[in-house]
Amino acid sequence: MSVKVLIPTPLQKFTKDQATIECSASNIQELIDALEANCPGIKARLCDEAGAPRRFLNFYVNSEDIRFLDNTATPLSDGDEVSIVPAVAGG
């Protein structure tokens, strides 16, 4: 199954400057592993030492935050769009 992944600009150096990547995965964890296989080094930017998504990154599946779904076990279907969005803070 093919999933479209939207890559934020700071991480595009790992994707050869591509803003979107097509991957095959059945859930977010498999997607992260597939991204690492295709774009070596990106997983260290996406996940902490325990393998969990970094706190300052938000993952969305079809505009739904995975934190309110099943986190990295969130299932993916053919044609889904996954957005990786850096958190923004300030005041």
Coordinates of all heavy atoms in Angstrom, one line a residue:
M1 N 0.8 -1.2 0.0 CA 0.0 0.0 0.0 C 0.9 1.2 0.0 O 1.9 1.3 0.7 CB -1.0 0.0 1.2 CG -0.4 0.4 2.5 SD -1.6 0.3 3.8 CE -1.7 -1.5 4.0
S2 N 0.5 2.2 -0.7 CA 1.3 3.4 -0.9 C 0.7 4.6 0.0 O -0.5 4.8 0.0 CB 1.3 3.9 -2.3 OG 2.2 5.0 -2.5
V3 N 1.6 5.2 0.7 CA 1.3 6.3 1.6 C 2.1 7.5 1.2 O 3.3 7.3 1.0 CB 1.5 5.9 3.1 CG1 1.2 7.1 4.0 CG2 0.7 4.7 3.5
K4 N 1.5 8.6 1.1 CA 2.2 9.9 0.8 C 2.7 10.5 2.1 O 1.9 10.7 3.0 CB 1.3 10.8 0.0 CG 2.0 12.1 -0.4 CD 1.0 12.9 -1.2 CE 1.5 14.3 -1.6 NZ 0.5 15.0 -2.4
V5 N 4.0 10.9 2.2 CA 4.5 11.5 3.4 C 5.0 12.9 3.1 O 5.8 13.1 2.1 CB 5.7 10.7 4.0 CG1 6.2 11.3 5.3 CG2 5.3 9.2 4.2
L6 N 4.5 13.9 3.8 CA 4.9 15.3 3.6 C 6.0 15.5 4.6 O 5.9 15.4 5.8 CB 3.7 16.2 3.9 CG 2.5 15.9 3.1 CD1 1.3 16.9 3.4 CD2 2.7 16.0 1.6
I7 N 7.2 15.9 4.0 CA 8.4 16.1 4.7 C 8.6 17.6 5.0 O 8.6 18.4 4.0 CB 9.6 15.5 4.0 CG1 9.4 14.1 3.6 CG2 10.9 15.7 4.8 CD1 9.3 13.1 4.7
P8 N 8.8 18.0 6.2 CA 9.1 19.4 6.5 C 10.5 19.8 6.0 O 11.4 19.0 5.8 CB 9.1 19.5 8.0 CG 9.4 18.1 8.5 CD 8.9 17.2 7.5
T9 N 10.6 21.1 5.6 CA 11.8 21.6 5.0 C 13.1 21.3 5.7 O 14.1 20.8 5.1 CB 11.7 23.1 4.8 OG1 10.5 23.4 4.1 CG2 12.9 23.7 4.1
P10 N 13.2 21.4 7.1 CA 14.4 21.0 7.8 C 14.9 19.6 7.6 O 16.1 19.3 7.7 CB 14.1 21.3 9.2 CG 13.0 22.2 9.2 CD 12.2 21.9 8.0
L11 N 14.0 18.7 7.3 CA 14.3 17.3 7.1 C 14.5 16.9 5.6 O 14.9 15.7 5.3 CB 13.2 16.4 7.7 CG 13.1 16.5 9.2 CD1 12.0 15.6 9.7 CD2 14.4 16.1 9.9
Q12 N 14.3 17.8 4.7 CA 14.4 17.5 3.3 C 15.9 17.2 2.9 O 16.1 16.6 1.8 CB 13.8 18.6 2.4 CG 12.3 18.6 2.6 CD 11.6 19.7 1.8 OE1 12.2 20.3 0.9 NE2 10.3 19.9 2.1
K13 N 16.8 17.6 3.7 CA 18.2 17.2 3.3 C 18.4 15.7 3.4 O 19.3 15.2 2.7 CB 19.2 17.9 4.3 CG 19.1 17.5 5.7 CD 20.0 18.3 6.6 CE 19.8 18.1 8.0 NZ 20.6 18.9 8.9
F14 N 17.6 15.0 4.1 CA 17.6 13.5 4.1 C 16.9 12.9 3.0 O 17.1 11.7 2.7 CB 17.1 13.0 5.4 CG 17.8 13.4 6.6 CD1 17.4 14.5 7.4 CD2 19.0 12.8 7.0 CE1 18.2 14.9 8.5 CE2 19.8 13.2 8.1 CZ 19.3 14.2 8.8
T15 N 16.0 13.7 2.3 CA 15.2 13.1 1.2 C 15.6 13.7 -0.2 O 14.8 13.6 -1.1 CB 13.7 13.5 1.4 OG1 13.5 14.9 1.4 CG2 13.2 12.9 2.8
K16 N 16.8 14.1 -0.2 CA 17.4 14.7 -1.5 C 16.5 15.9 -1.9 O 16.1 16.0 -3.1 CB 17.5 13.7 -2.6 CG 18.5 12.6 -2.2 CD 18.6 11.5 -3.3 CE 19.6 10.5 -2.7 NZ 19.5 9.2 -3.5
D17 N 16.1 16.7 -1.0 CA 15.3 17.9 -1.2 C 13.9 17.6 -1.7 O 13.2 18.5 -2.3 CB 16.0 18.9 -2.1 CG 17.3 19.4 -1.5 OD1 17.3 19.7 -0.3 OD2 18.3 19.5 -2.2
Q18 N 13.4 16.4 -1.5 CA 12.0 16.1 -1.9 C 11.0 16.5 -0.7 O 11.3 16.1 0.4 CB 11.8 14.6 -2.2 CG 12.6 14.2 -3.4 CD 12.4 12.7 -3.7 OE1 11.3 12.3 -4.0 NE2 13.5 11.9 -3.5
A19 N 10.0 17.2 -1.1 CA 9.0 17.6 -0.1 C 8.0 16.5 0.2 O 7.3 16.5 1.3 CB 8.2 18.8 -0.5
T20 N 7.8 15.5 -0.7 CA 6.9 14.4 -0.5 C 7.7 13.1 -0.9 O 8.5 13.1 -1.8 CB 5.7 14.5 -1.3 OG1 6.0 14.5 -2.7 CG2 4.8 15.7 -1.0
I21 N 7.4 12.0 -0.1 CA 7.9 10.7 -0.3 C 6.8 9.7 -0.4 O 5.8 9.8 0.4 CB 8.9 10.3 0.8 CG1 10.1 11.3 0.9 CG2 9.4 8.9 0.7 CD1 11.1 11.1 -0.1
E22 N 6.8 8.7 -1.2 CA 5.9 7.6 -1.2 C 6.5 6.5 -0.5 O 7.6 6.1 -0.8 CB 5.5 7.3 -2.7 CG 4.8 8.3 -3.4 CD 3.3 8.5 -3.1 OE1 2.7 7.4 -2.7 OE2 2.7 9.6 -3.2
C23 N 5.8 5.9 0.4 CA 6.3 4.7 1.2 C 5.1 3.7 1.3 O 4.0 4.0 1.2 CB 6.7 5.1 2.6 SG 8.2 6.0 2.7
S24 N 5.6 2.5 1.6 CA 4.6 1.4 1.9 C 4.7 1.0 3.3 O 5.8 0.7 3.8 CB 4.9 0.2 1.0 OG 4.6 0.5 -0.3
A25 N 3.6 1.1 4.1 CA 3.6 0.8 5.5 C 2.2 0.5 6.0 O 1.3 1.1 5.4 CB 4.3 1.9 6.3
S26 N 2.0 -0.3 7.0 CA 0.7 -0.6 7.5 C 0.4 0.3 8.7 O -0.7 0.3 9.2 CB 0.5 -2.0 7.8 OG 1.4 -2.5 8.8
N27 N 1.4 0.9 9.4 CA 1.2 1.8 10.5 C 2.4 2.8 10.6 O 3.3 2.7 9.8 CB 1.1 1.0 11.8 CG 2.3 0.2 12.2 OD1 3.4 0.6 12.0 ND2 2.1 -1.0 12.7
I28 N 2.3 3.7 11.5 CA 3.3 4.8 11.6 C 4.7 4.2 11.9 O 5.7 4.7 11.3 CB 2.8 5.8 12.6 CG1 1.6 6.6 12.2 CG2 4.0 6.8 12.9 CD1 1.7 7.4 10.9
Q29 N 4.8 3.2 12.8 CA 6.1 2.7 13.1 C 6.7 2.1 11.9 O 7.9 2.3 11.6 CB 6.0 1.6 14.2 CG 7.3 1.1 14.7 CD 8.2 2.3 15.3 OE1 7.8 3.0 16.2 NE2 9.4 2.5 14.7
E30 N 6.0 1.3 11.1 CA 6.5 0.8 9.9 C 6.9 1.9 8.9 O 7.9 1.8 8.1 CB 5.5 -0.2 9.2 CG 5.4 -1.5 9.9 CD 4.5 -2.4 9.2 OE1 4.2 -2.2 8.0 OE2 4.0 -3.4 9.8
L31 N 6.1 3.0 8.9 CA 6.4 4.1 8.0 C 7.8 4.7 8.4 O 8.6 5.1 7.5 CB 5.3 5.1 8.1 CG 5.5 6.4 7.3 CD1 5.3 6.1 5.8 CD2 4.6 7.5 7.7
I32 N 8.0 4.9 9.7 CA 9.3 5.5 10.1 C 10.4 4.6 9.7 O 11.5 5.1 9.2 CB 9.2 5.7 11.7 CG1 8.2 6.8 12.0 CG2 10.6 6.1 12.2 CD1 7.9 7.0 13.5
D33 N 10.3 3.3 9.9 CA 11.3 2.3 9.4 C 11.5 2.4 7.9 O 12.7 2.3 7.4 CB 11.0 0.9 9.9 CG 11.0 0.8 11.4 OD1 11.7 1.6 12.1 OD2 10.4 -0.1 11.9
A34 N 10.4 2.5 7.2 CA 10.5 2.6 5.7 C 11.2 3.9 5.3 O 12.1 3.9 4.4 CB 9.2 2.5 5.1
L35 N 10.9 5.0 6.0 CA 11.6 6.3 5.7 C 13.1 6.1 6.0 O 13.9 6.6 5.2 CB 11.0 7.4 6.6 CG 9.7 8.0 6.1 CD1 9.2 8.9 7.2 CD2 9.8 8.7 4.8
E36 N 13.5 5.5 7.1 CA 14.9 5.3 7.4 C 15.6 4.4 6.3 O 16.7 4.7 5.9 CB 15.1 4.6 8.7 CG 16.5 4.3 9.1 CD 17.4 5.6 9.3 OE1 16.9 6.7 9.5 OE2 18.6 5.4 9.2
A37 N 14.9 3.4 5.8 CA 15.5 2.6 4.8 C 15.7 3.3 3.5 O 16.7 3.1 2.8 CB 14.6 1.4 4.5
N38 N 14.8 4.3 3.2 CA 14.9 5.1 1.9 C 15.7 6.3 2.1 O 16.3 6.9 1.1 CB 13.5 5.4 1.4 CG 12.8 4.2 0.9 OD1 13.3 3.3 0.3 ND2 11.5 4.2 1.2
C39 N 15.8 6.8 3.3 CA 16.5 8.1 3.6 C 17.3 8.0 4.9 O 16.9 8.4 6.0 CB 15.4 9.2 3.8 SG 14.2 9.3 2.5
P40 N 18.5 7.3 4.8 CA 19.3 7.0 6.0 C 19.6 8.3 6.8 O 19.9 9.3 6.3 CB 20.6 6.4 5.4 CG 20.2 5.9 4.0 CD 19.1 6.8 3.5
G41 N 19.4 8.1 8.1 CA 19.6 9.2 9.0 C 18.4 9.9 9.5 O 18.4 10.6 10.5
I42 N 17.3 9.8 8.8 CA 16.1 10.5 9.1 C 15.4 10.1 10.4 O 14.9 10.9 11.2 CB 15.1 10.6 7.9 CG1 14.1 11.7 8.1 CG2 14.4 9.2 7.8 CD1 13.2 12.0 6.9
K43 N 15.5 8.8 10.7 CA 14.9 8.2 11.9 C 15.4 8.9 13.2 O 14.7 9.1 14.1 CB 15.0 6.7 12.0 CG 14.3 6.1 13.1 CD 14.3 4.6 13.1 CE 13.5 4.0 14.2 NZ 13.5 2.5 14.2
A44 N 16.7 9.2 13.2 CA 17.3 9.8 14.4 C 16.7 11.2 14.6 O 16.7 11.7 15.7 CB 18.8 9.9 14.3
R45 N 16.3 11.8 13.6 CA 15.7 13.1 13.7 C 14.2 13.0 14.0 O 13.6 13.9 14.6 CB 15.8 13.9 12.4 CG 17.2 14.2 11.9 CD 18.0 15.0 12.9 NE 19.2 15.5 12.4 CZ 20.4 14.9 12.5 NH1 20.4 13.7 13.0 NH2 21.5 15.4 12.1
L46 N 13.6 11.9 13.7 CA 12.1 11.7 14.0 C 11.9 11.1 15.3 O 10.8 11.4 15.9 CB 11.5 10.8 12.9 CG 11.6 11.3 11.4 CD1 11.0 10.2 10.5 CD2 10.8 12.6 11.3
C47 N 12.8 10.2 15.8 CA 12.5 9.5 17.0 C 13.6 9.7 18.0 O 14.8 9.9 17.7 CB 12.5 8.0 16.7 SG 11.1 7.6 15.5
D48 N 13.3 9.5 19.3 CA 14.3 9.6 20.4 C 15.0 8.2 20.5 O 14.8 7.3 19.7 CB 13.6 10.0 21.7 CG 12.5 9.0 22.2 OD1 12.5 7.9 21.7 OD2 11.7 9.4 23.0
E49 N 15.8 8.1 21.5 CA 16.6 6.9 21.7 C 15.8 5.7 21.9 O 16.2 4.5 21.7 CB 17.6 7.1 22.9 CG 18.7 8.2 22.6 CD 18.1 9.6 22.8 OE1 17.1 9.8 23.5 OE2 18.7 10.5 22.1
A50 N 14.6 5.8 22.5 CA 13.7 4.7 22.8 C 12.9 4.3 21.5 O 12.1 3.4 21.6 CB 12.8 5.1 23.9
G51 N 13.0 5.1 20.5 CA 12.2 4.8 19.2 C 10.9 5.5 19.2 O 10.1 5.3 18.2
A52 N 10.6 6.3 20.1 CA 9.3 7.1 20.1 C 9.5 8.4 19.4 O 10.5 9.0 19.4 CB 8.9 7.4 21.6
P53 N 8.4 8.8 18.7 CA 8.5 10.1 18.0 C 8.9 11.2 19.0 O 8.5 11.3 20.1 CB 7.0 10.4 17.5 CG 6.4 9.0 17.4 CD 7.1 8.2 18.6
R54 N 9.8 12.1 18.5 CA 10.3 13.2 19.3 C 9.1 14.1 19.7 O 8.2 14.3 18.9 CB 11.4 14.0 18.5 CG 12.6 13.1 18.4 CD 13.8 14.0 17.9 NE 15.0 13.2 17.8 CZ 15.8 12.9 18.8 NH1 15.6 13.3 20.0 NH2 16.9 12.1 18.5
R55 N 9.3 14.7 20.9 CA 8.2 15.5 21.4 C 7.9 16.8 20.6 O 6.8 17.3 20.6 CB 8.5 15.9 22.8 CG 8.5 14.7 23.8 CD 8.8 15.1 25.2 NE 7.9 16.1 25.6 CZ 7.8 16.5 26.8 NH1 8.6 16.1 27.8 NH2 6.9 17.4 27.2
F56 N 8.9 17.3 19.9 CA 8.7 18.5 19.1 C 8.2 18.3 17.7 O 8.1 19.2 16.9 CB 10.0 19.3 19.1 CG 11.2 18.6 18.5 CD1 11.4 18.6 17.2 CD2 12.1 18.0 19.4 CE1 12.5 17.9 16.7 CE2 13.2 17.3 18.9 CZ 13.4 17.2 17.5
L57 N 7.9 17.0 17.4 CA 7.4 16.7 16.0 C 6.0 16.1 16.2 O 5.7 15.3 17.1 CB 8.2 15.6 15.3 CG 9.6 16.1 14.8 CD1 10.3 14.9 14.2 CD2 9.4 17.1 13.7
N58 N 5.1 16.5 15.3 CA 3.7 16.0 15.3 C 3.5 15.2 14.0 O 3.9 15.7 13.0 CB 2.7 17.2 15.4 CG 2.9 17.9 16.7 OD1 3.0 17.3 17.8 ND2 2.9 19.2 16.6
F59 N 2.9 14.1 14.2 CA 2.6 13.3 13.0 C 1.0 13.3 12.8 O 0.3 13.1 13.8 CB 3.0 11.8 13.2 CG 4.5 11.6 13.1 CD1 5.3 11.9 14.2 CD2 5.0 11.0 12.0 CE1 6.7 11.7 14.1 CE2 6.4 10.8 11.9 CZ 7.2 11.1 12.9
Y60 N 0.6 13.5 11.6 CA -0.8 13.6 11.3 C -1.1 12.6 10.2 O -0.4 12.5 9.2 CB -1.3 15.0 10.8 CG -1.1 16.0 11.9 CD1 0.1 16.7 12.1 CD2 -2.2 16.3 12.8 CE1 0.2 17.7 13.1 CE2 -2.1 17.3 13.7 CZ -0.9 17.9 13.9 OH -0.8 18.9 14.9
V61 N -2.2 11.8 10.3 CA -2.7 10.9 9.3 C -4.0 11.5 8.8 O -4.9 11.6 9.5 CB -2.9 9.5 9.8 CG1 -3.5 8.6 8.7 CG2 -1.5 8.9 10.3
N62 N -4.0 12.0 7.5 CA -5.2 12.6 7.0 C -5.7 13.7 7.9 O -6.9 13.7 8.2 CB -6.2 11.6 6.7 CG -5.8 10.5 5.7 OD1 -5.0 10.8 4.8 ND2 -6.2 9.3 5.9
S63 N -4.8 14.5 8.4 CA -5.1 15.7 9.3 C -5.5 15.3 10.7 O -5.9 16.2 11.5 CB -6.2 16.6 8.7 OG -5.8 17.0 7.4
E64 N -5.4 14.0 11.1 CA -5.7 13.6 12.4 C -4.4 13.4 13.2 O -3.5 12.6 12.7 CB -6.5 12.3 12.4 CG -7.9 12.5 11.9 CD -8.8 13.3 12.8 OE1 -8.7 13.2 14.0 OE2 -9.7 14.0 12.3
D65 N -4.2 14.0 14.3 CA -3.0 13.8 15.2 C -2.9 12.4 15.7 O -3.9 11.9 16.3 CB -3.1 14.8 16.3 CG -1.8 15.0 17.1 OD1 -1.0 14.0 17.1 OD2 -1.6 16.1 17.6
I66 N -1.8 11.7 15.5 CA -1.7 10.3 15.9 C -1.7 10.2 17.4 O -2.0 9.2 18.0 CB -0.4 9.6 15.4 CG1 0.9 10.2 15.9 CG2 -0.4 9.6 13.8 CD1 2.1 9.3 15.7
R67 N -1.5 11.3 18.2 CA -1.5 11.3 19.6 C -2.9 11.0 20.1 O -3.2 10.5 21.2 CB -1.0 12.5 20.2 CG 0.5 12.7 20.0 CD 1.0 14.0 20.5 NE 0.4 15.1 19.8 CZ 0.5 16.4 20.0 NH1 1.3 16.8 21.0 NH2 -0.1 17.3 19.2
F68 N -3.9 11.3 19.3 CA -5.3 11.1 19.6 C -5.9 9.9 18.9 O -7.1 9.6 19.1 CB -6.2 12.3 19.3 CG -5.7 13.6 20.0 CD1 -5.1 14.6 19.3 CD2 -5.8 13.7 21.3 CE1 -4.6 15.7 19.9 CE2 -5.4 14.8 22.0 CZ -4.8 15.8 21.3
L69 N -5.0 9.2 18.2 CA -5.4 7.9 17.6 C -4.7 6.8 18.3 O -4.8 6.7 19.5 CB -5.0 7.9 16.1 CG -5.7 9.0 15.3 CD1 -5.2 9.1 13.9 CD2 -7.2 8.8 15.3
D70 N -3.8 6.0 17.6 CA -3.1 4.9 18.3 C -1.6 5.2 18.3 O -0.8 4.2 18.2 CB -3.4 3.6 17.6 CG -4.8 3.2 17.8 OD1 -5.4 3.4 18.9 OD2 -5.4 2.6 16.8
N71 N -1.2 6.4 18.3 CA 0.3 6.8 18.3 C 1.0 6.1 17.1 O 0.4 6.1 16.0 CB 0.9 6.6 19.6 CG 0.5 7.6 20.6 OD1 0.6 8.8 20.4 ND2 0.0 7.2 21.8
T72 N 2.1 5.4 17.4 CA 2.8 4.8 16.3 C 2.2 3.5 15.8 O 2.5 3.0 14.7 CB 4.3 4.5 16.7 OG1 4.3 3.7 17.9 CG2 5.1 5.8 16.9
A73 N 1.2 3.0 16.5 CA 0.4 1.9 16.0 C -0.8 2.3 15.1 O -1.5 1.4 14.7 CB -0.1 1.0 17.2
T74 N -0.9 3.6 14.9 CA -2.0 4.1 14.0 C -1.9 3.4 12.7 O -0.9 3.5 12.0 CB -1.9 5.6 13.9 OG1 -2.0 6.2 15.2 CG2 -3.0 6.2 13.0
P75 N -3.0 2.7 12.3 CA -3.0 2.0 11.0 C -3.0 3.0 9.8 O -3.6 4.1 9.9 CB -4.3 1.2 11.0 CG -5.1 1.8 12.0 CD -4.3 2.5 13.0
L76 N -2.4 2.6 8.7 CA -2.4 3.3 7.5 C -3.1 2.5 6.4 O -3.0 1.3 6.4 CB -0.9 3.6 7.1 CG -0.1 4.5 8.1 CD1 1.3 4.6 7.6 CD2 -0.7 5.9 8.2
S77 N -3.7 3.2 5.5 CA -4.4 2.6 4.4 C -3.8 3.2 3.1 O -3.3 4.3 3.1 CB -5.9 2.9 4.4 OG -6.5 2.3 5.6
D78 N -4.0 2.5 2.0 CA -3.6 2.9 0.7 C -4.1 4.3 0.4 O -5.3 4.5 0.6 CB -4.0 1.9 -0.4 CG -3.3 2.1 -1.7 OD1 -2.1 2.5 -1.7 OD2 -3.9 1.9 -2.7
G79 N -3.3 5.2 0.0 CA -3.7 6.6 -0.3 C -3.7 7.5 0.8 O -4.0 8.7 0.6
D80 N -3.4 7.1 2.1 CA -3.3 8.0 3.2 C -2.2 9.0 3.0 O -1.3 8.8 2.3 CB -3.1 7.3 4.5 CG -4.3 6.6 5.1 OD1 -5.5 6.9 4.6 OD2 -4.2 5.8 6.0
E81 N -2.4 10.2 3.7 CA -1.4 11.2 3.6 C -0.9 11.4 5.1 O -1.7 11.7 6.0 CB -2.0 12.5 3.1 CG -0.9 13.6 2.9 CD -1.5 14.8 2.3 OE1 -1.4 14.9 1.0 OE2 -2.0 15.7 3.0
V82 N 0.4 11.3 5.3 CA 1.0 11.5 6.6 C 1.8 12.8 6.5 O 2.7 13.0 5.7 CB 1.9 10.3 7.0 CG1 2.6 10.6 8.3 CG2 1.1 9.0 7.1
S83 N 1.5 13.7 7.4 CA 2.3 15.0 7.6 C 3.1 14.9 8.8 O 2.7 14.5 9.9 CB 1.3 16.1 7.7 OG 0.4 16.2 6.6
I84 N 4.4 15.3 8.6 CA 5.3 15.5 9.8 C 5.5 17.0 10.0 O 6.0 17.7 9.1 CB 6.7 14.8 9.5 CG1 6.5 13.3 9.1 CG2 7.6 15.0 10.6 CD1 7.7 12.6 8.6
V85 N 5.0 17.4 11.1 CA 5.0 18.9 11.4 C 5.8 19.2 12.6 O 5.5 18.7 13.7 CB 3.5 19.3 11.5 CG1 3.5 20.8 11.7 CG2 2.7 18.9 10.3
P86 N 6.8 20.0 12.5 CA 7.6 20.5 13.6 C 6.7 21.4 14.5 O 5.9 22.2 14.0 CB 8.7 21.3 13.1 CG 8.8 20.9 11.6 CD 7.4 20.5 11.2
A87 N 6.8 21.2 15.8 CA 6.0 22.0 16.7 C 6.5 23.4 16.7 O 7.7 23.6 16.5 CB 6.1 21.4 18.1
V88 N 5.7 24.4 16.9 CA 6.0 25.8 16.9 C 5.7 26.3 18.3 O 4.6 26.1 18.8 CB 5.2 26.5 15.8 CG1 5.6 28.0 15.9 CG2 5.5 26.0 14.5
A89 N 6.7 27.0 18.9 CA 6.5 27.6 20.2 C 6.9 29.1 20.1 O 7.7 29.4 19.3 CB 7.3 26.9 21.3
G90 N 6.5 29.8 21.0 CA 6.9 31.2 21.0 C 5.9 32.0 21.8 O 4.9 31.5 22.3
G91 N 6.2 33.3 21.9 CA 5.2 34.1 22.6 C 5.5 35.5 22.4 O 6.2 36.0 21.6

